[in-house]
Amino acid sequence: MATTVPGGDGTDVILPEGISSDQVEVEVTDEGNTNVAIKEKTKDLQIEAKGSTAVTGEKVVNSTINVSTSKSENANIVLETTVSNQTNIANGGKGSLEVNINTGQVKNLTIDAGNKKRADLVSIKDDVKLTKATMKMGKGNDSVRFGKGVTFAGRTNIDLGKGGKDSVIIEADSISEGKLNITNFTKKDTITVGDETFTYKDIKNGAEITGINVELA
């Protein structure tokens, strides 16, 4: 039987059958946020996040993080594990979503920011190896940022959604061919690679960005 462990600010961490609190330790920070420390490889972890939540430590497979906050709140979801495979992060609340992927090998990541008009952020830090991610950013002024040292394997798909002023920022000067696919790119959106920024007009007039396929809205 699964076990529910309370975190901070109303967050619940649901441990699958056979996993104890010795293997997955749930802590509440001084700020009232939740830290889920993976001590041993864990599968099928589920988190119902009502506030900012970090998953840290060892390998985690097939985990789900459902985010639900009020309109005025921002939930910061941090992933800082050695390996993450099939992590699904979904925002079903009214508040904005911030996702920080800080470390490790990250495979088959799915982020669904929901389809409400709000400013959501995804940040993939320098040392991450990213394999086959899918991000649906929804409405609002959204931002996706990739650090200079991010390694891409397989294709990452980013749907910028309808409306809003969105930005995709790649701190490296280039990425490998065919590693990034961006859809719903509108007249307000921009893509920055290194020191060069591309607009809707640039793409429409034939500008090509190495490693990136762009589909105009």
Side-chain angles (χ1 to χ4, degrees), residues 7-8 13 25-29 33-38 52-56:
V13 180
E25 185 177 339
V26 180
E27 306 166 320
V28 180
T29 69
N33 300 327
T34 302
N35 182 61
V36 183
I38 310 297
S52 295
T53 302
V55 180
T56 64

Side-chain angles (χ1 to χ4, degrees), residues 34-201:
T34 302
N35 182 61
V36 183
I38 310 297
K39 304 295 186 180
E40 299 178 17
K41 176 184 173 181
T42 300
K43 295 178 62 177
D44 303 326
L45 181 70
Q46 182 178 336
I47 300 171
E48 300 295 329
K50 298 293 179 65
S52 295
T53 302
V55 180
T56 64
E58 300 301 319
K59 183 176 182 177
V60 61
V61 179
N62 195 34
S63 61
T64 300
I65 304 173
N66 295 315
V67 180
S68 179
T69 56
S70 64
K71 187 174 181 179
S72 60
E73 295 179 323
N74 171 72
N76 181 13
I77 305 300
V78 176
L79 193 60
E80 197 169 290
T81 58
T82 56
V83 178
S84 167
N85 192 357
Q86 295 181 314
T87 294
N88 302 288
I89 302 170
N91 187 9
K94 296 180 179 180
S96 59
L97 177 67
E98 179 177 344
V99 178
N100 287 282
I101 311 296
N102 290 345
T103 60
Q105 299 179 45
V106 180
K107 306 174 183 179
N108 304 302
L109 171 70
T110 300
I111 298 172
D112 187 347
N115 204 31
K116 297 186 182 297
K117 190 175 182 180
R118 55 199 170 197
D120 301 306
L121 168 67
V122 176
S123 179
I124 314 293
K125 301 298 171 58
D126 282 351
D127 296 328
V128 171
K129 181 177 180 180
L130 187 66
T131 303
K132 295 182 180 178
T134 299
M135 306 176 195
K136 297 180 180 180
M137 300 306 297
K139 299 177 183 178
N141 302 329
D142 306 314
S143 180
V144 181
R145 179 182 292 270
F146 298 94
K148 185 175 289 187
V150 172
T151 302
F152 292 88
R155 174 169 290 190
T156 289
N157 297 295
I158 302 173
D159 182 349
L160 293 176
K162 296 181 179 180
K165 185 177 181 180
D166 305 317
S167 61
V168 177
I169 300 167
I170 299 160
E171 295 180 0
D173 293 331
S174 65
I175 65 173
S176 301
E177 184 67 37
K179 295 303 182 184
L180 194 59
N181 185 63
I182 299 173
T183 58
N184 272 319
F185 190 78
T186 70
K187 294 180 180 179
K188 294 181 180 180
D189 300 338
T190 58
I191 300 171
T192 300
V193 182
D195 295 327
E196 189 170 6
T197 297
F198 300 85
T199 65
Y200 181 97
K201 184 177 180 180

